[in-house]
Amino acid sequence: MITEEIKTTIEKYDKIIVHRHANPDPDALGSQRAIALSLRKTFPNKTILMAGNSVGDLNWLSEMDNVTEEDYQGSLVIVVDTANTPRISGEDYDKGDFLIKIDHHPDNDQYGDLRYVLEHASSCSEIMFDLLQSWNFVIDEEVANAIYAGIVGDTGRFMYDSTSAHTFAIASHLMELKADLPRINQRLSEVTLQQAKLQSSVYDYLQIDDSGAAWAIITQADLQKLGVTTEQAHAVVSTPGRLKGVVSWVIAVEKQAPETGFRIHYRSKGPVINTLAMKHDGGGHMLASGANAADEQEVQTIVSELIEVVKNYK
Ligand code: AMP
């Protein structure tokens, strides 16, 4: 069985480096932290490192280790929650001896020597709980906190349809393990006053087509006016979904110089949008995806494609 093969591989290596995707969300950080902490506690003699770039405002959830190129010599690398290699955060991920992918996104890029991908899992953190439990590895309060944060993040607080009875069963286990639900729920839903202002101004920027497709373009000038960083702009991504009649939407956030173009966030209440994201250097889940647009013209193309898909769905 693949899960047993992964366990045996983990047992074999003295040095294990865990990666996740760039622009990390709570699930990327939660699943990375959960396996890293559990391995440290289960195998105190092994060296376990967490690799990747800035965690931004999520530094209350996790912090990265200082990982150098030499660390990869003779190591096992595990990449969590990352669909494709360009999205892996930490450029040396391929310098280890052996690579394992653990994920819940559509498996379009089958990288790694071993892969464990469950597309229907609510989150990578949910998969991580099941793996650690089946291997009898340590799941204590700290590990439970990381897993809970990941599940809450990727299910939108148990709201999205990827949430299953099993997701709730795991949440129940996590409560028994004394995961700090009030603190984590509060941290995950907290925004700064500036982010709250951006959230409300999105209703001004938002354009809504008769079909129920909606879109908003947020420029660097908009962000600067409100004192919101590009990373913090992510807080507005789910906002249009609260509106009656909005079926699927796109938020385009202008990238910060020296980068150019727009980061695209697709969300949907029904029509499948990851096929659209794939056309624009992106991908993700059927109802929540990300992509990139080189300029405003590509953003307009993205909007036209979205309208088309929503019209056909209706
Ligand atoms: P985001 O809109 O950034 O919150 O991303 C929504 C979902 O799409 C997450 O599961 C991401 O991991 C995934 N995603 C975002 N950007 C990309 C991309 N460029 N390629 C593949 N998947 C992506």
Side-chain angles (χ1 to χ4, degrees), residues 173-190:
H173 276 293
L174 298 174
M175 280 190 89
E176 279 163 10
L177 288 162
K178 307 231 172 326
D180 191 349
L181 272 58
R183 183 182 68 90
I184 296 167
N185 290 331
Q186 191 186 333
R187 293 306 297 251
L188 287 177
S189 60
E190 251 169 22

Side-chain angles (χ1 to χ4, degrees), residues 21 25 84 87 105 234 263-267 281-285 288-292:
H21 63 74
D25 51 25
N84 47 28
R87 291 259 299 152
H105 295 92
H234 197 271
R263 188 161 163 69
I264 306 295
H265 304 277
Y266 288 91
R267 296 293 186 270
D281 179 29
H285 304 287
S289 291
N292 296 282

Side-chain angles (χ1 to χ4, degrees), residues 4 15-16 20 48 60 64 102 129 161 204 213 228-229 307:
E4 282 308 302
K15 207 183 322 163
I16 302 173
R20 41 73 189 171
I48 313 293
W60 60 269
M64 297 302 103
I102 301 176
F129 178 86
D161 71 347
D204 297 327
V228 175
T229 67
I307 293 172

